[in-house]
């Protein structure tokens, strides 16, 4: 017996299915919208703040050139300064500044994850991007990293100057000692006097270099702590509602067209269709017992058939096949 759906069940539309299960569909849509909004607030809430600074070209100095002699080497130098901005020393100094000035406690590893420094598209620019929970904290961290970079770079330049000055002063002291021992107006005294002048000029140039190089930064574009990034919660909640609506339509349509839940039809042997019923079909009534007249009629028919057969045999030739039939009695005898 073959079953198939009725035309009404096969033609269930999307809107009809959605309306049939409207309350469960509405609950699913609302939950999806709430999930999108709450995920934005508690999981995907992160904003970025960027601070920029231009590194000082060391070619403008005499003793702090650091091997920079061309434009390509200056680009490489900028990349090195960007890597230095992300170093542990700079980040640890920034952490100390945040604790002292902003009362913000943050770990070094958290700073490593939040801070990204890279060279800008233009030469000599370093961009410091910080990801945090709020705009204010992101901007404060970015500005603290730039300030820490300036402090440590200036400290490094001062150490280099101190090394240079120490060497110059040591050489000057030795020349002055030799100059005292040299005869007056001699060639040696003149040469030592010229060398002493050169050392004095070198010492002055070192002071000028330090003043020009300073913190290694020409200018700083700080991040704005008052900037407010628009919330993405309404947008993501709308996306959640749209996704929930699609899921509700699909689920409602699948429920409406589920072959187990819908009515089925069966095809009988004659080709007629009828709906199946959950109640078992009633057993057919027992056939009525034959009456006495019907039994006698059956017996008469049987006797009639027997007499007809015997009459046919009696008309046969006597003794055919060694059989003789008595027409009166209907009995037969064999001749041997």
């Amino acid at each position: 017996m073959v079953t198939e759906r009725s035309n009404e069940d096969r033609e269930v539309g999307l809107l009809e299915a959605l309306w049939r299960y409207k309350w469960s569909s509405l609950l699913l849509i609302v939950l999806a919208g709430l999930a999108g909004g709450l995920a934005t607030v508690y999981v995907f809430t992160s904003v970025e703040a960027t601070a920029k600074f231009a590194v000082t070209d060391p070619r403008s100095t005499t003793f702090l050139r650091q091997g920079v002699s061309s434009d390509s080497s200056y680009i490489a130098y900028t990349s090195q300064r960007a890597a230095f901005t992300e170093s542990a020393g700079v980040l640890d100094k920034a952490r100390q500044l945040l604790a002292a000035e902003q009362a913000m406690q943050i770990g070094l590893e958290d700073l490593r994850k939040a801070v990204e420094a890279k060279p800008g598209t233009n030469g000599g620019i370093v961009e410091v991007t910080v990801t945090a929970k709020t705009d204010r904290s992101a901007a404060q961290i970015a500005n603290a990293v730039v300030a820490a970079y300036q402090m440590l770079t200036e400290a490094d330049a001062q150490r280099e100057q101190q090394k240079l000055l120490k060497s110059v002063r040591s050489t000057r002291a030795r020349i002055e000692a030799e100059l005292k021992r040299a005869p007056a107006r001699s060639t040696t005294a003149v040469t030592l006097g010229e060398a002493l002048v050169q050392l004095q000029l070198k010492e002055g140039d070192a002071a000028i270099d330090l003043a020009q190089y300073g913190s290694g930064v020409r200018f700083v574009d700080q991040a704005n702590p008052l900037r407010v990034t628009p919330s993405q919660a309404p947008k993501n909640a709308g996306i959640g509602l749209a996704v929930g609506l699609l899921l509700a339509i699909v689920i409602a349509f699948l429920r409406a067209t589920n072959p187990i839940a819908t009515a089925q039809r069966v095809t009988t042997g004659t080709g007629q269709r009828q709906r199946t019923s959950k109640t078992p079909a009633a057993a057919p009534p027992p056939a009525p017992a034959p009456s006495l007249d019907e039994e006698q009629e059956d017996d008469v028919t049987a006797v009639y058939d027997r007499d007809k057969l015997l009459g046919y045999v009696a008309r046969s030739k006597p003794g055919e096949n060694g059989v003789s039939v008595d027409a009166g009695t209907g009995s037969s005898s064999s001749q041997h």
Side-chain angles (χ1 to χ4, degrees):
M1 187 176 297
V2 181
T3 63
E4 61 180 15
R5 296 183 187 175
S6 62
N7 293 333
E8 295 81 3
D9 295 332
R10 287 184 296 173
E11 295 177 356
V12 174
L14 296 178
L15 295 180
E16 180 182 354
L18 185 64
W19 179 255
R20 182 179 300 178
Y21 302 102
K22 54 183 178 296
W23 297 117
S24 59
S25 299
L26 179 61
L27 178 61
L28 178 60
I29 295 171
V30 173
L31 290 178
L34 289 176
L38 293 178
T40 303
V41 174
Y42 294 101
V43 179
F44 302 107
T45 300
S46 61
V47 294
E48 293 183 351
T50 301
K52 302 178 183 179
F53 64 89
V55 297
T56 301
D57 190 347
R59 291 176 292 181
S60 62
T61 65
T62 303
F63 303 106
L64 298 174
R65 299 178 68 88
Q66 303 186 41
V68 179
S69 59
S70 62
D71 292 339
S72 60
S73 60
Y74 178 53
I75 295 174
Y77 171 76
T78 303
S79 299
Q80 293 175 1
R81 303 316 295 174
F84 177 69
T85 306
E86 291 183 334
S87 65
V90 174
L91 295 181
D92 187 63
K93 184 63 175 180
R95 184 179 62 83
Q96 297 175 11
L97 292 176
L98 290 171
E101 299 176 2
Q102 308 296 337
M104 181 186 300
Q105 301 297 330
I106 185 171
L108 180 59
E109 291 301 321
D110 294 334
L111 276 180
R112 287 184 181 273
K113 296 177 181 178
V115 177
E116 180 185 7
K118 60 182 180 180
T121 55
N122 299 323
I125 302 297
V126 175
E127 298 178 354
V128 180
T129 303
V130 176
T131 303
K133 291 294 184 180
T134 63
D135 293 282
R136 184 178 182 85
S137 59
Q140 289 175 345
I141 293 174
N143 295 334
V145 170
V146 175
Y149 170 86
Q150 292 177 279
M151 291 179 181
L152 295 183
T153 302
E154 185 174 5
D156 291 340
Q158 289 176 352
R159 280 193 297 268
E160 292 295 328
Q161 187 201 41
Q162 292 300 323
K163 291 179 182 179
L164 177 62
L165 293 177
K166 183 178 180 180
S167 175
V168 169
R169 290 166 183 169
S170 176
T171 304
R172 187 179 66 179
R174 188 168 60 251
I175 291 175
E176 289 177 348
E178 293 179 0
L179 184 60
K180 290 179 180 180
R181 292 192 299 267
R185 299 181 181 181
S186 64
T187 305
T188 303
V190 173
T191 303
L192 291 175
E194 292 177 354
L196 187 60
V197 172
Q198 293 296 327
L199 288 176
Q200 291 175 349
L201 292 175
K202 190 174 183 179
E203 186 175 1
D205 290 340
I208 294 174
D209 283 352
L210 182 61
Q212 290 180 347
Y213 189 76
S215 61
V217 173
R218 287 187 294 172
F219 67 87
V220 176
D221 181 14
Q222 290 188 337
N224 183 12
L226 300 180
R227 175 177 176 268
V228 178
T229 302
S231 176
Q232 297 296 322
K235 176 183 176 181
N236 292 339
I239 295 175
L241 291 175
V243 173
L245 177 60
L246 293 177
L247 290 177
I249 292 175
V250 172
I251 294 175
F253 182 74
L254 292 177
R255 292 178 63 186
T257 57
N258 186 1
I260 299 177
T262 55
Q264 303 291 320
R265 290 189 176 185
V266 298
T267 303
T268 62
T270 59
Q272 297 179 354
R273 295 180 179 179
Q274 61 182 9
R275 290 188 177 274
T276 58
S277 177
K278 296 183 179 179
T279 58
S291 61
L292 183 59
D293 294 339
E294 292 177 351
E295 293 180 355
Q296 291 178 355
E297 183 178 356
D298 293 340
D299 294 340
V300 172
T301 303
V303 173
Y304 171 75
D305 293 340
R306 185 187 61 189
D307 293 342
K308 183 178 180 180
L309 177 61
L310 292 177
Y312 173 77
V313 175
R315 290 193 298 270
S316 304
K317 294 181 181 181
E320 186 177 358
N321 298 326
V323 179
S324 62
V325 181
D326 189 353
T329 62
S331 61
S332 63
S333 62
S334 301
Q335 296 180 358
H336 298 283

